[in-house]
Amino acid sequence: SEISLNTAQKMVEEGDKLTSKLSKMINMIDIRNMSFIGSDARKYLATVERINLKANVIILNSKIQESLFNLYIRFANPGVKTIAFSDYQSALAWSQTYLDAY
């Protein structure tokens, strides 16, 4: 699957509707089956402001995805903490600990 700018904007809009009453949240984004994300979508997702968003957790499963993630962090400079994991359970555990400490 792939994410275009339009898809990224819809994801944020729908996510905001679902989480508008939360004081803090973490995006958990599973990219294990994703093949492409457009540069305009990456830029948008790195810079969009969301008051209650405290971190992004990316779940990936290949060295290529890990390399691309590292490039994204280096060049997009997301406005919130963004971290990657190779499995869902570790991502979930980190997310809970991070939110509890926030």
Side-chain angles (χ1 to χ4, degrees):
S1 66
E2 64 182 64
I3 298 177
S4 66
L5 175 59
N6 186 47
T7 301
Q9 290 168 330
K10 286 180 182 178
M11 287 169 40
V12 169
E13 181 182 326
E14 292 302 315
D16 285 348
K17 287 178 189 176
L18 292 170
T19 62
S20 64
K21 295 184 175 155
L22 298 176
S23 62
K24 56 187 178 179
M25 63 169 251
I26 290 179
N27 276 343
M28 190 171 295
I29 307 157
D30 186 344
I31 65 165
R32 291 177 288 186
N33 294 317
M34 189 174 66
S35 59
F36 179 78
I37 180 168
S39 61
D40 51 351
R42 284 192 308 273
K43 183 177 180 181
Y44 171 76
L45 292 170
T47 59
V48 66
E49 285 192 37
R50 300 172 78 193
I51 302 297
N52 59 351
L53 181 63
K54 305 307 177 197
N56 289 311
V57 174
I58 312 294
I59 303 170
L60 43 80
N61 68 352
S62 73
K63 290 293 184 188
I64 292 172
Q65 287 178 338
E66 184 177 348
S67 295
L68 292 172
F69 170 79
N70 289 329
L71 287 171
Y72 170 73
I73 294 300
R74 185 173 197 178
F75 294 108
N77 195 24
V80 297
K81 183 168 187 72
T82 303
I83 189 167
F85 291 91
S86 59
D87 68 279
Y88 177 78
Q89 293 303 323
S90 297
L92 189 59
W94 181 90
S95 298
Q96 188 60 54
T97 302
Y98 189 76
L99 279 180
D100 288 347
Y102 202 89

